[in-house]
Amino acid sequence: MATNNQTKAMIEKESLKGRDFLTLLDYSSEEIAYLLQQAYDMKQDTLAGTMPPVLAGKTLGMIFEKHSTRTRISFEVGMIHLGGHGIFMNARDLQIGRGESVYDTGHVLSEFLDGVMIRAKSHKMVEELAEHTSVPVINGLTDIFHPCQAMADLLTIKEVKGDLKGLKLSYIGDGNNVAHSLVIAGAHMGMHVAVATPEGYEYNAGLLEKAKKIAEKNGGSVISTYDPVEAASESDAIYTDVWTSMGQEEEAAKRLIDFKDFQINDQLVGHAHKDYVFLHCLPAHREEEVATSVIDGPNSYVFQQAGNRLHAQKAILASLL
């Protein structure tokens, strides 16, 4: 990996302090590389027991409209590791759940907190909250983006493979929020990203064009296909997500049929490089989107990936707060 001084030099004219973290489209490739290096360094400090309390006295408010395991625990533990404190707030328990405006909520939270992380149903609502909040707002997941997950994904691939530039990253499954952020992240790092979805579940066309332009600037590429074999061919990393996300339960039966040829199984990963990395943001449905032999196999790094949510988010928290 690049040294910390090298990555700091990349963004010496820019400051991350006080900024929001809503989508990776708002960040430069150099800034993302810097955050990845910070995440790597913080992981080493944490493992060595030498993590400095850089956020001592700081408080992060964590708003949840959706259930969470990894997001809640990683942010809460991350604030503890950094010397600060995280407050869990179920949206149903806040006045915003009873009709208080986002405008009022944002201004009130700014009086109490040093930052806000929100896991929400609507990206537009999160954008509105950020507009009316004077402290940094971090997107813990919305219907369109999941940028914190993508940072942990890149950190995991980098730990296993080394330099990200030039690697082929294949996302196979639903063109959802996880896919949106992952492809943009890979484009920033000069990766060759292939997205395979069934017809009717495509990656957002506007975001695809933006990702292509970012990739071209960094020597990478982005393609979209309906053929999972094409996407998996010669791949260095294969990624999938559940076929039915939260809020789509009524579509589950139809999705099982539409996605039946997109399972990540031994036959499909046979088209990838032998040392490919398998990733999944979790929770996973074994024998639906991924075969048990793959997710529990020697090429799977899903638990290291989950653990890296902690370190990627600590880098974001420390840089913004």
Side-chain angles (χ1 to χ4, degrees):
M1 283 196 172
T3 67
N4 202 31
N5 288 335
Q6 286 173 323
T7 50
K8 282 183 177 179
M10 294 178 186
I11 60 165
E12 59 185 357
K13 295 182 180 180
E14 301 177 81
S15 173
L16 301 182
K17 187 175 181 180
R19 286 173 60 180
D20 298 319
F21 195 79
L22 306 187
T23 165
L24 297 179
L25 292 171
D26 297 335
Y27 282 72
S28 69
S29 301
E30 292 76 17
E31 288 169 338
I32 293 171
Y34 168 78
L35 288 171
L36 284 174
Q37 183 62 47
Q38 288 291 93
Y40 179 83
D41 291 344
M42 286 183 168
K43 183 172 183 175
Q44 307 316 305
D45 288 340
T46 300
L47 294 174
T50 57
M51 184 71 240
V54 295
L55 293 184
K58 302 282 187 179
T59 302
L60 177 74
M62 306 182 300
I63 303 174
F64 289 85
E65 287 189 328
K66 288 190 170 186
H67 297 298
S68 172
T69 297
R70 283 148 290 276
T71 297
R72 176 180 177 178
I73 296 172
S74 57
F75 269 106
E76 196 161 339
V77 173
M79 284 300 292
I80 294 171
H81 283 184
L82 295 170
H85 183 68
I87 299 176
F88 172 79
M89 299 182 289
N90 190 312
R92 295 190 301 273
D93 298 332
L94 300 176
Q95 293 296 345
I96 196 171
R98 299 178 62 248
E100 184 172 34
S101 70
V102 175
Y103 176 93
D104 288 355
T105 298
H107 284 283
V108 169
L109 292 179
S110 300
E111 296 292 323
F112 302 136
L113 304 168
D114 300 288
V116 176
M117 187 285 299
I118 180 166
R119 184 174 170 91
K121 298 175 183 177
S122 167
H123 191 76
K124 287 185 177 180
M125 188 274 273
V126 173
E127 288 179 325
E128 185 180 356
L129 181 67
E131 181 181 353
H132 301 300
T133 306
S134 61
V135 297
V137 173
I138 300 170
N139 176 5
L141 175 143
T142 67
D143 56 332
I144 303 177
F145 296 111
H146 200 352
C148 294
Q149 178 66 57
M151 294 299 293
D153 301 337
L154 290 187
L155 177 60
T156 306
I157 299 171
K158 193 160 189 173
E159 285 180 327
V160 178
K161 293 288 189 180
D163 190 16
L164 296 170
K165 190 176 180 65
L167 295 181
K168 182 176 180 181
L169 170 61
S170 306
Y171 178 88
I172 300 171
D174 189 16
N176 60 14
N177 49 3
V178 171
H180 291 160
S181 290
L182 178 71
V183 172
I184 294 166
H188 273 299
M189 294 298 99
M191 303 178 80
H192 298 290
V193 187
V195 183
T197 68
E199 292 188 50
Y201 300 92
E202 293 86 351
Y203 189 95
N204 179 277
L207 295 178
L208 187 70
E209 291 308 309
K210 291 179 180 180
K212 285 181 178 179
K213 291 179 181 178
I214 294 170
E216 288 171 4
K217 289 181 180 179
N218 291 288
S221 63
V222 176
I223 66 165
S224 179
T225 178
Y226 297 121
D227 183 356
V229 173
E230 179 185 358
S233 180
E234 302 299 316
S235 182
D236 297 292
I238 295 180
Y239 197 122
T240 194
D241 190 9
V242 293
W243 291 342
T244 305
S245 298
M246 285 182 287
Q248 299 172 334
E249 288 79 8
E250 292 183 359
E251 304 173 19
K254 182 177 186 300
R255 284 172 172 263
L256 284 174
I257 297 170
D258 294 344
F259 283 84
K260 63 182 177 61
D261 295 326
F262 287 77
Q263 185 188 73
I264 311 302
N265 51 37
D266 293 321
Q267 182 178 358
L268 184 59
V269 300
H271 297 279
H273 291 304
K274 289 185 178 180
D275 61 347
Y276 81 96
V277 172
F278 174 72
L279 299 174
H280 191 306
C281 56
L282 302 179
H285 297 159
R286 284 168 170 77
E287 301 305 324
E288 283 189 19
E289 74 272 8
V290 59
T292 301
S293 58
V294 172
I295 193 171
D296 294 336
N299 294 78
S300 177
Y301 290 84
V302 296
F303 298 120
Q304 180 174 329
Q305 175 190 7
N308 278 338
R309 288 288 302 277
L310 172 64
H311 309 293
Q313 286 155 195
K314 281 192 295 188
I316 295 166
L317 289 166
S319 298
L320 273 56
L321 273 61

